[in-house]
Amino acid sequence: MKSKIFITIMLTLSTFVCSGQSFLSKYPKLTKKNLNEFFSDWKAYSDSLASMAVKNDSLIDMVVAYNYLPMQLEGTTYRSGKDAPPKYHVVPQYIDVERYYLDVDTTVFSPRYGFPYYYSELPDNEYRIDSVIPQLPYRGLYLTPNISEALSTFVGGWIKGDKMEKIDKGNLKALKKYIPLGGHGHWSGGYWYFESFPLITKICYANNLIAVKTMTSWFSGEETWYIKQNGDFVRREEPVGEWIE
């Protein structure tokens, strides 16, 4: 599908993102000793970015916030001690939003494939890709490629050159105290899911339909629809499609 790609991020925000991760230079190598300080710096970076994020679409903001509602509610029941859950939640710094300037026949797309499945090429004025910064949930952190690389190097289990690095079980155990490590790559391996689940991977937004594609675990996912009815988008309680690897 040919289209022009528009990234709706303010210039000042882009400048901050490029320089804001400079805290990583303090950690040429992550260790158990500096892990706590690393997370404190990561949290400060995430909070600063969240405070500067520009909200351009209240509808999409609402959809994203609903997905991360369980993480927000967890703030009222946070436990400490032996049975404490990981300290932080991790969300992607950006979520892609595919915007379709057309009406969709919601009876056409099957539960198996969802929307948009096999849409033919569209003119540029009917389709574009935006990128939004999600709301930061309770004890939230934004994951970036550079931060993901630092964490992968710390725990191992990632592909370097033509071989996979050995997993450091001690470091893995230490990291799980901070974030709910989703799991190792299901098929080829060599990568980790550092994000918390449910994880929004993409939002497809038509005039009368919003399809939210979500990973519910490191090996499963589903698609949730918001259908426009009487001028408002109404969420279907049951997923339109589910998948398991």
Side-chain angles (χ1 to χ4, degrees):
M1 182 181 295
K2 297 179 180 179
S3 64
K4 293 181 179 178
I5 301 178
F6 301 90
I7 306 299
T8 54
I9 307 296
M10 289 183 64
L11 180 59
T12 53
L13 182 57
S14 298
T15 302
F16 172 80
V17 170
C18 293
S19 63
Q21 294 176 68
S22 60
F23 78 89
L24 289 173
S25 63
K26 293 172 54 179
Y27 308 95
K29 182 179 180 180
L30 274 181
T31 66
K32 293 178 183 177
K33 290 185 178 180
N34 64 22
L35 195 60
N36 189 62
E37 184 181 0
F38 171 83
F39 271 91
S40 294
D41 287 342
W42 185 6
K43 178 59 175 167
Y45 164 76
S46 300
D47 288 344
S48 295
L49 181 62
S51 68
M52 297 174 63
V54 177
K55 302 301 181 182
N56 294 319
D57 192 320
S58 59
L59 182 60
I60 294 299
D61 292 342
M62 178 272 293
V63 169
V64 174
Y66 190 93
N67 183 79
Y68 292 126
L69 183 60
M71 301 180 194
Q72 300 285 22
L73 295 177
E74 204 173 291
T76 62
T77 58
Y78 187 76
R79 305 184 303 278
S80 61
K82 183 178 178 180
D83 298 325
K87 188 174 182 179
Y88 299 102
H89 292 296
V90 183
V91 298
Q93 183 164 296
Y94 300 112
I95 296 175
D96 284 342
V97 179
E98 295 184 359
R99 182 66 168 97
Y100 296 81
Y101 296 98
L102 45 79
D103 292 324
V104 173
D105 185 345
T106 56
T107 65
V108 170
F109 299 99
S110 70
R112 181 179 180 185
Y113 297 114
F115 169 77
Y117 180 70
Y118 276 143
Y119 237 118
S120 58
E121 290 193 8
L122 296 171
D124 290 337
N125 63 350
E126 290 188 357
Y127 170 79
R128 75 176 185 181
I129 298 178
D130 286 335
S131 181
V132 299
I133 298 177
Q135 177 183 349
L136 200 62
Y138 176 74
R139 295 181 181 266
L141 300 169
Y142 287 126
L143 186 67
T144 70
N146 289 337
I147 294 174
S148 180
E149 182 178 350
L151 296 175
S152 296
T153 303
F154 176 66
V155 297
W158 63 296
I159 296 176
K160 184 178 181 180
D162 58 355
K163 69 175 184 178
M164 186 179 297
E165 295 290 296
K166 182 179 180 181
I167 295 176
D168 188 315
K169 293 184 179 179
N171 286 355
L172 187 63
K173 183 179 179 180
L175 186 61
K176 286 182 176 180
K177 295 179 180 179
Y178 291 90
I179 59 177
L181 196 60
H184 206 217
H186 186 53
W187 288 114
S188 60
Y191 60 95
W192 293 93
Y193 290 106
F194 295 117
E195 300 94 336
S196 304
F197 299 112
L199 167 65
I200 296 178
T201 58
K202 183 188 298 184
I203 298 175
C204 299
Y205 178 12
N207 293 342
N208 62 327
L209 170 67
I210 299 175
V212 183
K213 300 178 186 295
T214 308
M215 290 190 67
T216 53
S217 74
W218 57 276
F219 62 88
S220 63
E222 63 186 25
E223 181 171 320
T224 301
W225 279 11
Y226 292 76
I227 298 178
K228 198 169 189 177
Q229 299 176 3
N230 300 320
D232 295 319
F233 281 89
V234 179
R235 184 179 185 273
R236 279 190 178 179
E237 292 303 319
E238 296 296 325
V240 174
E242 299 177 285
W243 57 266
I244 297 178
E245 290 185 351

